[in-house]
């Protein structure tokens, strides 16, 4: 499966990564397999500034329920990564879900930019490239 994915964004979250009333869903195809990504309610630890984004990822018959964390980092940056909960596998769907979370964060916080990414490019307009936001 490879290593755990992450994105480092330039910017510090002062508000949620995306509107808290949204439950974004994305459906894509990868190697002739349906991949479904569904985010759940965001959680915030005010004392640490960490946001948690639970997500359900279905790749064919393989399902994973996990969370991503958005962690403030010194130097006005935010790390978007797989939270250390459970035993997630860094599949294509997990990497793509993390890409979507980083992309949603940049859409909701237009001043944010990508510092580094292990999940692909974010070049061009900060709009959804694949899947449907609902």
């Amino acid at each position: 499966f490879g290593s755990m994915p992450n994105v480092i964004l330039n910017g510090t979250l002062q508000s949620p990564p995306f509107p808290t009333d949204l439950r974004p869903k994305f459906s894509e195809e990868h190697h002739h397999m349906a991949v479904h990504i569904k985010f759940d309610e965001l959680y915030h630890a005010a004392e640490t500034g960490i946001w948690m984004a639970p997500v359900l990822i279905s790749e064919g018959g393989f399902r994973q329920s996990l969370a991503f964390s958005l962690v403030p980092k010194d130097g006005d940056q935010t790390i978007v990564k797989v939270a250390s909960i459970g035993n997630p596998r860094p599949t294509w769907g997990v990497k793509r879900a993390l890409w979507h979370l980083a992309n949603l964060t940049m859409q909701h916080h237009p001043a944010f930019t990508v510092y580094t990414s292990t999940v692909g490019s974010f070049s061009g307009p900060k709009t959804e490239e694949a899947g449907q936001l609902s």
Side-chain angles (χ1 to χ4, degrees):
F1 291 115
S3 61
M4 286 295 177
N6 69 78
V7 175
I8 299 176
L9 300 173
N10 290 315
T12 302
L13 288 173
Q14 303 299 323
S15 61
F18 57 83
T20 57
D21 59 340
L22 279 183
R23 301 294 178 270
K25 298 180 207 174
F26 303 91
S27 292
E28 302 180 43
E29 189 171 305
H30 179 68
H31 292 287
H32 308 290
M33 179 175 43
V35 178
H36 303 284
I37 299 165
K38 182 181 178 188
F39 286 92
D40 203 350
E41 182 178 352
L42 293 168
Y43 296 94
H44 184 237
E47 64 279 357
T48 62
I50 296 173
W51 286 91
M52 297 290 284
V55 62
L56 177 64
I57 302 163
S58 175
E59 298 175 73
F62 185 59
R63 294 172 54 109
Q64 296 190 76
S65 182
L66 57 121
F68 295 120
S69 58
L70 295 98
V71 181
K73 182 180 175 194
D74 293 340
D76 192 36
Q77 292 182 324
T78 299
I79 302 171
V80 185
K81 63 182 185 170
V82 177
S84 57
I85 298 172
N87 191 20
R89 304 287 190 263
T91 61
W92 185 87
V94 169
K95 293 172 185 176
R96 191 65 179 163
L98 191 131
W99 183 94
H100 281 296
L101 178 56
N103 197 49
L104 283 167
T105 302
M106 289 188 293
Q107 287 178 14
H108 193 61
H109 299 274
F112 278 36
T113 57
V114 175
Y115 179 71
T116 64
S117 169
T118 65
V119 295
S121 173
F122 292 87
S123 61
K126 295 176 187 173
T127 58
E128 185 48 42
E129 290 182 353
Q132 296 296 316
L133 174 62
S134 59

